[in-house]
Amino acid sequence: MRRIRRAAVAIAVIVLGATGCGKSDTGTETTTTPVPAPPRPKGTGPFTKEFVRTDLEGSAANAGVPANDHEYARPFEEAPAGSPPSCAVAFRGIGDKKAPLDFEDFKAVVGELRERDWQQSGGLRERENLDGVIGDAVASLKQRGWSVTAQYGIAVDGETSAITLTAYDQACMKRTGAG
């Protein structure tokens, strides 16, 4: 997929260069739509918590999910070193009646994570409510020693919903005895 996108970008650059990018046939300036950059370059080095946090928050933002609920993330960020929560990065976007989150939003977040080279293990596991609407779903993804549990759920009141992403450094979890 990335190779196809890069090839398309290369072809677009060649075509725009050949046609005099920025000028129309009438000689007046035109604006072009910027070519989207890849989410981030592939890497082989250590995967830091900050890098994972950026992937989680960036994936959610690109899918249109509200910003991270810092009250939810705070216990992970403030956990004492060497504890299982200190091995994790957490994100929760909350939807409400004015701006609800749904299963399609969840699938979009998981798709954004896959664009960032997170490998999904298994499919999406979802469960319908009595009214036939997907009420909760879970997906698992992995990359370079980290695993992410992505969850979607609608509250019992039906008025709030959330997409939660929790990433765990697997080596750190083993060191704490939780992995």
Side-chain angles (χ1 to χ4, degrees), residues 113-150:
L113 285 167
R114 287 195 315 256
E115 282 289 316
R116 288 167 168 77
D117 297 324
W118 288 89
Q119 303 300 310
Q120 188 173 341
S121 52
L124 297 176
R125 296 179 303 265
E126 66 265 357
R127 189 171 56 191
E128 290 182 1
N129 290 339
L130 294 175
D131 58 2
V133 174
I134 302 290
D136 60 79
V138 177
S140 297
L141 302 104
K142 293 185 179 192
Q143 183 178 176
R144 295 182 4 209
W146 284 78
S147 61
V148 171
T149 301

Side-chain angles (χ1 to χ4, degrees), residues 76-87:
F76 295 91
E77 294 168 359
E78 296 176 355
S83 69
S86 73
C87 299

Side-chain angles (χ1 to χ4, degrees), residues 3 8 23 29 33 63 75 88 107 112 137 155 162 169 171:
R3 287 184 183 153
K23 300 271 186 189
E29 300 241 351
T33 304
K107 289 192 311 187
E112 288 289 334
D169 179 336

